[in-house]
């Protein structure tokens, strides 16, 4: 199953609105197991992992055991149901990591295989499978995408000096891994402050992964950005999504280039676009995974809205001091018993920096 999970990760950022699934077919005999077929969800969401694995295994899929990271689909879509494909391939057992909450599936794939006489075991590596497909599961279970903050700070939690100078706080190893993260998300979202201070491209620029850059989204509040900002003028990939409040004064036909799509949403009482409406619009576009790379204001807004599911925190072994720019602003927290709590899922050293993956703890 761990091999199937590793295969599934290849699809992250490339298969929305579908889940990223991995499938391994194994033939067992008296000498042990032998992998006869491997598959993962292909870019665009099709073909599915199960049919890819069956195609590679050919006749050797007969009598094999299928390890699948998500319940095989049981509905007719652009392709035939994967549960039927496994049945037709003649597998004798299916080991499934977790159920698919989509109402068109939700246990139906398991039931269909059992009725065909296939032994089905459910729950192997369930936690890891749910974490991997957190985006797809979130859209089905909560109606919004999975949201991750990516932050790079000093040891004392600062993102820039008092004059806003920030390049670079972390080392090259952390920055390279940050680019790899971008390739695993459907959308990367930032704010006007980050554009004005850093003028980032917000693309994946690792050799060989440039084509896996996510869709870029920009939240504009009260501040105008230059017409030649890199996030607006990048010539490859889909248009940048620019979210404005309905009352924003910028003229669409004058400000935004041909690679930009203007998206108007409701404003809050301070005149900023409402985050829940931005996330709802992204879900409607088939987005499941959003990476927020922004400044203190937008980071704080997402945390206040309880909209952060995980944090990718890169921490340098340097100190800027209290007169510098913090990664998170005021949250109005006056009770330590009600703190926003996260669990450390992963921790590793990157050069002279420390990387931590933090996952939001369930309430209660």
């Amino acid at each position: 199953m761990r091999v199937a999970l590793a295969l599934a990760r290849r699809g992250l950022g490339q298969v929305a609105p579908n889940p990223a699934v991995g499938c391994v077919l194994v033939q067992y005999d008296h000498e042990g197991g032998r992998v006869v077929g491997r598959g993962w969800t292909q870019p665009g969401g099709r073909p599915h992992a199960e049919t890819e694995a069956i195609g590679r295994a050919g006749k050797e899929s007969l009598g094999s055991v299928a390890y699948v990271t998500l319940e095989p689909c049981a509905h007719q879509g652009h392709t035939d149901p994967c549960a039927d494909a496994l049945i037709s391939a003649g597998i004798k057992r299916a080991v499934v990591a977790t159920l698919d909450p989509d109402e068109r599936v939700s246990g139906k794939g398991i039931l269909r295989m059992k009725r065909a006489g296939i032994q089905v075991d459910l729950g192997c590596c369930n936690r890891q499978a749910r974490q991997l497909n957190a985006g797809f599961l979130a859209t089905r279970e909560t109606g919004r995408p999975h949201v991750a903050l990516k932050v790079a700070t000093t040891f004392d939690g600062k993102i820039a000096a008092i004059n806003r100078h920030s390049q670079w706080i972390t080392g090259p190893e952390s920055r390279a891994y940050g680019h790899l993260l971008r390739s695993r998300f459907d959308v990367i979202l930032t704010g006007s402050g980050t554009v004005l201070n850093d003028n980032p491209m917000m693309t994946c620029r690792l050799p060989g992964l440039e084509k896996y850059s996510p869709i870029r989204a920009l939240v504009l509040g009260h501040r105008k950005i230059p017409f030649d900002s890199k996030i607006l003028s990048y010539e490859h990939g889909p248009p940048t999504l620019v979210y404005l409040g309905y009352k924003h004064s910028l003229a669409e036909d004058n400000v935004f280039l041909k690679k930009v799509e203007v998206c108007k949403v409701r404003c809050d009482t301070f005149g900023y676009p409402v985050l829940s409406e931005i996330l709802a619009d992204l879900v409607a576009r088939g987005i499941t995974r959003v990476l927020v790379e922004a400044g203190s204001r937008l980071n704080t807004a997402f945390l206040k809205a309880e909209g952060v599911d995980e944090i990718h925190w890169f921490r340098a072994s340097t100190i800027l001091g209290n007169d510098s720019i913090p990664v998170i602003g005021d949250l109005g927290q006056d009770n330590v018993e009600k703190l926003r709590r996260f669990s450390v899922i992963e921790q590793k050293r990157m050069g002279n920096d420390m990387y931590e993956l933090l996952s939001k703890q369930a309430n209660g």
Side-chain angles (χ1 to χ4, degrees):
M1 184 61 77
R2 290 190 179 92
V3 174
L5 288 166
L7 292 171
R9 290 189 188 95
R10 298 183 180 186
L12 290 177
Q14 311 304 316
V15 300
N18 287 356
V21 180
C23 178
V24 177
L25 299 181
V26 180
Q27 282 283 5
Y28 287 96
D29 56 28
H30 65 280
E31 295 182 354
R34 177 171 55 90
V35 173
V36 295
R38 302 182 307 152
W40 59 93
T41 312
Q42 297 299 294
R46 288 177 293 275
H48 291 181
E50 297 91 332
T51 55
E52 284 285 291
I54 292 169
R56 289 185 171 94
K59 294 181 179 179
E60 289 199 275
S61 59
L62 181 65
S64 66
V65 176
Y67 294 85
V68 192
T69 60
L70 186 70
E71 177 185 6
C73 60
H75 62 284
Q76 181 70 47
H78 293 280
T79 59
D80 293 334
C82 289
D84 289 355
L86 291 171
I87 293 168
S88 297
I91 70 165
K92 66 178 182 181
R93 179 181 169 217
V95 182
V96 180
T98 193
L99 289 174
D100 184 342
D102 190 306
E103 61 182 12
R104 298 170 298 177
V105 187
S106 192
K108 299 181 181 70
I110 300 291
L111 181 60
R112 188 172 293 191
M113 289 189 292
K114 285 183 174 180
R115 286 177 173 172
I118 296 172
Q119 177 187 339
V120 180
D121 297 310
L122 178 65
C124 177
C125 297
N126 174 72
R127 181 183 61 81
Q128 296 92 325
R130 288 189 61 84
Q131 181 184 347
L132 186 148
N133 260 317
F136 173 77
L137 297 175
T139 60
R140 297 305 187 273
E141 295 174 350
T142 70
R144 71 170 183 83
H146 180 77
V147 176
L149 289 188
K150 179 262 181 181
V151 298
T153 74
T154 59
F155 188 77
D156 56 340
K158 309 299 182 181
I159 58 174
I162 192 171
N163 63 354
R164 302 281 175 176
H165 184 257
S166 63
Q167 297 178 345
W168 300 98
I169 284 178
T170 53
E173 296 89 351
S174 292
R175 297 200 298 274
Y177 193 74
H179 279 260
L180 180 63
L181 279 179
R182 291 176 179 179
S183 73
R184 295 173 175 173
F185 283 80
D186 307 327
V187 160
I188 183 169
L189 184 146
T190 194
S192 55
T194 299
V195 173
L196 290 170
N197 294 327
D198 299 335
N199 193 23
M201 291 181 68
M202 292 295 181
T203 56
C204 175
R205 295 187 295 282
L206 291 179
L209 293 181
E210 296 89 348
K211 65 180 180 179
Y212 297 120
S213 292
I215 298 170
R216 298 173 300 168
L218 172 63
V219 181
L220 284 186
H222 304 290
R223 305 169 75 180
K224 295 183 179 180
I225 63 173
F227 298 171
D228 60 352
S229 297
K230 292 178 181 178
I231 197 169
L232 300 181
S233 58
Y234 182 60
E235 291 301 321
H236 304 284
T240 299
L241 304 175
V242 179
Y243 287 95
L244 307 171
Y246 283 123
K247 298 181 180 180
H248 203 290
S249 61
L250 295 181
E252 297 172 18
D253 56 343
N254 292 332
V255 177
F256 302 112
L257 307 181
K258 62 182 180 180
K259 295 295 287 184
V260 170
E261 181 178 349
V262 175
C263 314
K264 291 213 168 185
V265 297
R266 186 167 51 89
C267 287
D268 61 20
T269 55
F270 300 102
Y272 292 103
V274 174
L275 296 183
S276 61
E277 294 206 0
I278 293 175
L279 296 180
D281 180 76
L282 291 173
V283 168
R285 296 171 181 271
I287 299 303
T288 65
R289 294 167 56 83
V290 178
L291 182 66
V292 178
E293 282 195 37
S296 178
R297 195 202 69 78
L298 203 53
N299 291 342
T300 304
F302 269 100
L303 284 166
K304 279 187 173 181
E306 304 296 340
V308 178
D309 300 301
E310 67 182 27
I311 303 175
H312 297 266
W313 200 309
F314 298 84
R315 196 187 308 269
S317 55
T318 53
I319 294 175
L320 268 173
N322 201 44
D323 57 347
S324 304
I325 309 301
V327 65
I328 299 166
D330 295 340
L331 291 173
Q333 194 76 52
D334 60 1
N335 187 336
V336 295
E337 293 181 357
K338 297 181 180 179
L339 295 178
R340 293 164 176 84
R341 299 185 184 277
F342 291 79
S343 299
V344 178
I345 302 299
E346 184 180 354
Q347 188 178 55
K348 56 187 173 184
R349 182 161 296 282
M350 294 189 174
N352 204 36
D353 305 330
M354 182 62 70
Y355 164 77
E356 290 179 318
L357 171 59
L358 308 172
S359 180
K360 183 180 180 180
Q361 293 183 4
N363 293 333

